[in-house]
């Protein structure tokens, strides 16, 4: 099964592209993380009350699936190696790009986990729902003393803020590097992360071309 998946993915990675699964993971999660950064920031400005609580419920409902998607993405990434592209030979720049990818994976897990801990440690947390639909349990911190719960809340909040800061530094650099490689260096790295939609289906690399018939042979 894994060998078949690898063989399928190789058809894409051999052309310096991420597989369609890798591409979908990237863009769905990139959109969700960017939404979370904006929504979390917006929520922090709402005065305490029902609207703020509702905004945090939305924040949690979108944030928790990121953790589950990250499990799937990590497994996929371990089974299916990424493509080799022009940007993989840039020495220290390449190492920094890889380090950023690790930071992103830490954030995919660390942000939802610290959010979940914060949510579970406040005095009377509301219910949590995955994507607003599937009930998600609280961590049973109600067994702990109130002061311990405040300490847990404090630490989790610091971790959450630290990881948000890490994303605020790394994401703009990641995006700027992707655009620089594409428009300045003319590297194939961004193309490899975009969906492979040929303008002309006949020109698809996965579809062998029909041999052209000589003029006048009835081929039109
Ligand atoms: C990748 C996922 C996530 C991102 C990028 C993210 C981002 C943010 C941001 C930008 C803030 C505002 C920080 C501030 O200025 O105060 C915030 C606050 C918060 N987030 Fe998240 N978050 C994520 C996941 C979650 C999840 C899954 C939960 C809950 C289950 C959660 C719970 C909270 C809470 C309770 C706060 C308020 C913390 C405070 O007191 O400032 N977050 N988050
Ligand atoms: C919105 C603009 C974005 C652009 C143009 C972009 C572009 C790219 C490109 C071209 C790659 C391939 C790099 C390589 O193979 O060396 C990549 C990889 C990656 N990007 Fe982004 N990205 C964006 C946003 C994000 C966001 C918001 C995140 C999450 C925080 C993210 C997380 C990742 C990760 C983890 C990888 C490594 C591939 C993997 O392990 O699945 N990207 N991105």
């Amino acid at each position: 099964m894994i060998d078949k998946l690898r063989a399928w993915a190789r058809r894409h990675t051999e052309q310096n592209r991420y597989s369609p699964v890798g591409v979908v993971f990237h863009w769905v999660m990139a959109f969700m993380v960017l939404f979370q950064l904006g929504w979390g920031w917006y929520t922090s400005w709402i005065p305490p009350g029902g609207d703020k609580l509702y905004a945090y419920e939305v924040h949690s409902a979108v944030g928790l699936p990121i953790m589950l998607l990250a499990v799937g993405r990590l497994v996929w990434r371990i089974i299916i190696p990424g493509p080799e592209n022009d940007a993989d030979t840039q020495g220290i720049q390449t190492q920094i790009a890889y380090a950023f990818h690790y930071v992103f994976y830490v954030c995919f897990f660390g942000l939802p986990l610290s959010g979940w801990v914060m949510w579970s440690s406040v005095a009377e947390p509301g219910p949590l729902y995955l994507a607003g639909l599937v009930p998600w349990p609280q961590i049973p911190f109600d067994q702990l003393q109130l002061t311990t719960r405040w300490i847990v809340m404090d630490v989790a909040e610091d971790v959450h803020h630290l990881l948000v800061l890490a994303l605020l530094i790394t994401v703009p650099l990641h995006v700027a590097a992707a655009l620089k490689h594409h428009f300045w260096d003319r590297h194939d790295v961004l193309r490899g992360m975009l969906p492979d939609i040929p303008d002309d289906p006949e020109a698809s690399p996965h579809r062998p071309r029909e041999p052209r018939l000589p003029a006048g042979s009835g081929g039109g």
Side-chain angles (χ1 to χ4, degrees):
M1 169 74 177
I2 290 182
D3 286 344
K4 278 191 182 156
L5 277 179
R6 283 199 177 125
W8 171 77
R10 247 197 317 273
R11 281 172 42 199
H12 300 275
T13 53
E14 274 170 0
Q15 295 170 49
N16 301 4
R17 291 182 172 281
Y18 281 80
S19 70
V21 175
V23 172
V24 170
F25 268 132
H26 178 271
W27 291 110
V28 169
M29 291 181 72
F31 176 77
M32 289 169 87
V33 168
L34 291 177
F35 171 83
Q36 284 294 87
L37 285 173
W39 188 264
W41 180 76
Y42 156 76
T43 305
S44 68
W45 286 94
I46 303 177
D51 285 352
K52 193 178 182 92
L53 184 66
Y54 173 72
Y56 274 129
E57 278 170 9
V58 172
H59 185 68
S60 314
V62 178
L64 288 168
I66 291 178
M67 188 165 58
L68 298 187
L69 284 172
V71 176
R73 184 172 180 176
L74 190 61
V75 170
W76 181 258
R77 196 72 173 74
I78 290 168
I79 298 174
I80 309 291
E84 288 276 325
N85 51 47
D86 297 339
D88 285 323
T89 53
Q90 308 290 304
I92 185 76
Q93 284 183 40
T94 306
Q95 298 312 316
I96 294 174
Y98 290 163
F100 281 9
H101 295 172
Y102 283 111
V103 171
F104 294 153
Y105 276 88
V106 169
C107 290
F108 293 152
F109 290 101
L111 277 161
L113 280 175
S114 54
W116 187 22
V117 169
M118 269 195 280
W119 194 276
S120 308
S121 58
V122 292
E124 284 176 29
L128 274 175
Y129 291 95
L130 196 69
L133 296 170
V134 184
W136 185 267
Q138 310 275 350
I139 307 170
F141 287 142
D142 48 352
Q143 329 267 328
L144 300 176
Q145 281 185 338
L146 202 58
T147 41
T148 318
R149 278 165 72 173
W150 281 113
I151 294 170
V152 171
M153 166 80 190
D154 237 26
V155 173
E157 193 177 10
D158 286 350
V159 171
H160 209 73
H161 286 173
L162 198 77
L163 294 178
V164 166
L165 186 66
L167 282 183
L168 291 179
I169 295 168
T170 50
V171 167
L173 290 173
H174 173 74
V175 176
L179 297 179
K180 180 208 168 250
H181 278 297
H182 188 72
F183 291 109
W184 187 274
D185 302 323
R186 307 267 168 192
H187 285 162
D188 60 356
V189 58
L190 179 59
R191 194 181 58 92
M193 195 44 108
L194 294 174
D196 181 13
I197 308 169
D199 300 335
D200 172 5
E202 292 293 312
S204 166
H206 308 308
R207 190 169 160 171
R209 281 172 181 269
E210 300 279 330
R212 279 176 188 265
L213 296 173
S217 63

PDB file of all heavy atoms in Angstrom, residues 3 29 45 75 84 89 127 168 174 181 187 192:
ATOM      1  N   ASP A   3       4.007   1.408  -0.713  1.00  0.00           N
ATOM      2  CA  ASP A   3       4.813   1.442  -1.948  1.00  0.00           C
ATOM      3  C   ASP A   3       4.007   2.022  -3.106  1.00  0.00           C
ATOM      4  O   ASP A   3       4.518   2.792  -3.914  1.00  0.00           O
ATOM      5  CB  ASP A   3       5.277   0.028  -2.304  1.00  0.00           C
ATOM      6  CG  ASP A   3       6.396  -0.417  -1.367  1.00  0.00           C
ATOM      7  OD1 ASP A   3       6.970   0.468  -0.701  1.00  0.00           O
ATOM      8  OD2 ASP A   3       6.652  -1.627  -1.283  1.00  0.00           O
ATOM      9  N   MET A  29      -4.185  24.293   5.288  1.00  0.00           N
ATOM     10  CA  MET A  29      -3.661  24.636   6.615  1.00  0.00           C
ATOM     11  C   MET A  29      -3.096  26.059   6.643  1.00  0.00           C
ATOM     12  O   MET A  29      -3.215  26.757   7.649  1.00  0.00           O
ATOM     13  CB  MET A  29      -2.624  23.611   7.060  1.00  0.00           C
ATOM     14  CG  MET A  29      -3.290  22.271   7.352  1.00  0.00           C
ATOM     15  SD  MET A  29      -2.135  21.030   7.895  1.00  0.00           S
ATOM     16  CE  MET A  29      -1.745  21.580   9.537  1.00  0.00           C
ATOM     17  N   TRP A  45      -9.269  42.051  20.951  1.00  0.00           N
ATOM     18  CA  TRP A  45      -9.703  43.452  21.073  1.00  0.00           C
ATOM     19  C   TRP A  45     -11.168  43.587  21.490  1.00  0.00           C
ATOM     20  O   TRP A  45     -11.608  44.687  21.832  1.00  0.00           O
ATOM     21  CB  TRP A  45      -9.490  44.188  19.742  1.00  0.00           C
ATOM     22  CG  TRP A  45      -8.047  44.467  19.503  1.00  0.00           C
ATOM     23  CD1 TRP A  45      -7.167  43.694  18.790  1.00  0.00           C
ATOM     24  CD2 TRP A  45      -7.281  45.569  20.005  1.00  0.00           C
ATOM     25  NE1 TRP A  45      -5.921  44.239  18.808  1.00  0.00           N
ATOM     26  CE2 TRP A  45      -5.950  45.406  19.554  1.00  0.00           C
ATOM     27  CE3 TRP A  45      -7.583  46.672  20.797  1.00  0.00           C
ATOM     28  CZ2 TRP A  45      -4.937  46.304  19.865  1.00  0.00           C
ATOM     29  CZ3 TRP A  45      -6.566  47.570  21.100  1.00  0.00           C
ATOM     30  CH2 TRP A  45      -5.268  47.375  20.646  1.00  0.00           C
ATOM     31  N   VAL A  75       2.300  12.435   9.075  1.00  0.00           N
ATOM     32  CA  VAL A  75       2.411  11.028   8.639  1.00  0.00           C
ATOM     33  C   VAL A  75       2.692  11.001   7.133  1.00  0.00           C
ATOM     34  O   VAL A  75       3.583  10.293   6.657  1.00  0.00           O
ATOM     35  CB  VAL A  75       1.113  10.247   8.977  1.00  0.00           C
ATOM     36  CG1 VAL A  75       1.117   8.877   8.329  1.00  0.00           C
ATOM     37  CG2 VAL A  75       0.940  10.134  10.488  1.00  0.00           C
ATOM     38  N   GLU A  84      12.671  17.443  -4.659  1.00  0.00           N
ATOM     39  CA  GLU A  84      13.916  18.233  -4.721  1.00  0.00           C
ATOM     40  C   GLU A  84      13.627  19.374  -5.681  1.00  0.00           C
ATOM     41  O   GLU A  84      13.131  19.148  -6.780  1.00  0.00           O
ATOM     42  CB  GLU A  84      15.035  17.394  -5.338  1.00  0.00           C
ATOM     43  CG  GLU A  84      15.562  16.289  -4.463  1.00  0.00           C
ATOM     44  CD  GLU A  84      16.613  16.793  -3.486  1.00  0.00           C
ATOM     45  OE1 GLU A  84      17.375  17.698  -3.872  1.00  0.00           O
ATOM     46  OE2 GLU A  84      16.648  16.278  -2.351  1.00  0.00           O
ATOM     47  N   THR A  89      19.300  23.838  -2.992  1.00  0.00           N
ATOM     48  CA  THR A  89      20.756  23.834  -3.143  1.00  0.00           C
ATOM     49  C   THR A  89      21.341  25.186  -2.761  1.00  0.00           C
ATOM     50  O   THR A  89      22.389  25.573  -3.257  1.00  0.00           O
ATOM     51  CB  THR A  89      21.133  23.526  -4.611  1.00  0.00           C
ATOM     52  OG1 THR A  89      20.406  24.451  -5.429  1.00  0.00           O
ATOM     53  CG2 THR A  89      20.791  22.112  -4.999  1.00  0.00           C
ATOM     54  N   PRO A 127     -18.469  24.697  26.401  1.00  0.00           N
ATOM     55  CA  PRO A 127     -18.142  23.456  25.673  1.00  0.00           C
ATOM     56  C   PRO A 127     -17.252  23.750  24.468  1.00  0.00           C
ATOM     57  O   PRO A 127     -17.306  24.844  23.901  1.00  0.00           O
ATOM     58  CB  PRO A 127     -19.509  22.946  25.230  1.00  0.00           C
ATOM     59  CG  PRO A 127     -20.402  24.137  25.251  1.00  0.00           C
ATOM     60  CD  PRO A 127     -19.853  25.090  26.264  1.00  0.00           C
ATOM     61  N   LEU A 168       4.447  35.003  13.580  1.00  0.00           N
ATOM     62  CA  LEU A 168       4.456  36.378  13.040  1.00  0.00           C
ATOM     63  C   LEU A 168       5.819  36.729  12.442  1.00  0.00           C
ATOM     64  O   LEU A 168       5.919  37.558  11.548  1.00  0.00           O
ATOM     65  CB  LEU A 168       4.075  37.391  14.131  1.00  0.00           C
ATOM     66  CG  LEU A 168       2.622  37.339  14.587  1.00  0.00           C
ATOM     67  CD1 LEU A 168       2.359  38.353  15.685  1.00  0.00           C
ATOM     68  CD2 LEU A 168       1.664  37.582  13.413  1.00  0.00           C
ATOM     69  N   HIS A 174       8.759  33.348   5.215  1.00  0.00           N
ATOM     70  CA  HIS A 174       8.481  32.176   4.376  1.00  0.00           C
ATOM     71  C   HIS A 174       7.807  32.618   3.068  1.00  0.00           C
ATOM     72  O   HIS A 174       8.195  32.194   1.976  1.00  0.00           O
ATOM     73  CB  HIS A 174       7.573  31.245   5.194  1.00  0.00           C
ATOM     74  CG  HIS A 174       7.032  30.064   4.479  1.00  0.00           C
ATOM     75  ND1 HIS A 174       7.800  28.974   4.158  1.00  0.00           N
ATOM     76  CD2 HIS A 174       5.773  29.775   4.035  1.00  0.00           C
ATOM     77  CE1 HIS A 174       7.036  28.066   3.554  1.00  0.00           C
ATOM     78  NE2 HIS A 174       5.810  28.533   3.457  1.00  0.00           N
ATOM     79  N   HIS A 181      11.984  33.515  -4.657  1.00  0.00           N
ATOM     80  CA  HIS A 181      12.450  32.391  -5.485  1.00  0.00           C
ATOM     81  C   HIS A 181      11.715  32.368  -6.824  1.00  0.00           C
ATOM     82  O   HIS A 181      12.291  32.063  -7.859  1.00  0.00           O
ATOM     83  CB  HIS A 181      12.202  31.063  -4.765  1.00  0.00           C
ATOM     84  CG  HIS A 181      13.263  30.731  -3.766  1.00  0.00           C
ATOM     85  ND1 HIS A 181      14.566  30.512  -4.113  1.00  0.00           N
ATOM     86  CD2 HIS A 181      13.213  30.588  -2.422  1.00  0.00           C
ATOM     87  CE1 HIS A 181      15.280  30.245  -3.038  1.00  0.00           C
ATOM     88  NE2 HIS A 181      14.488  30.294  -1.987  1.00  0.00           N
ATOM     89  N   HIS A 187      13.095  30.340  -9.751  1.00  0.00           N
ATOM     90  CA  HIS A 187      13.177  28.940  -9.321  1.00  0.00           C
ATOM     91  C   HIS A 187      11.807  28.272  -9.431  1.00  0.00           C
ATOM     92  O   HIS A 187      10.782  28.958  -9.520  1.00  0.00           O
ATOM     93  CB  HIS A 187      13.672  28.868  -7.863  1.00  0.00           C
ATOM     94  CG  HIS A 187      15.147  29.139  -7.730  1.00  0.00           C
ATOM     95  ND1 HIS A 187      15.730  29.483  -6.540  1.00  0.00           N
ATOM     96  CD2 HIS A 187      16.148  29.106  -8.646  1.00  0.00           C
ATOM     97  CE1 HIS A 187      17.026  29.663  -6.728  1.00  0.00           C
ATOM     98  NE2 HIS A 187      17.302  29.437  -7.983  1.00  0.00           N
ATOM     99  N   GLY A 192       6.003  24.271  -7.621  1.00  0.00           N
ATOM    100  CA  GLY A 192       5.873  22.923  -7.060  1.00  0.00           C
ATOM    101  C   GLY A 192       4.844  22.828  -5.954  1.00  0.00           C
ATOM    102  O   GLY A 192       4.435  21.721  -5.583  1.00  0.00           O
TER     103      GLY A 192
END
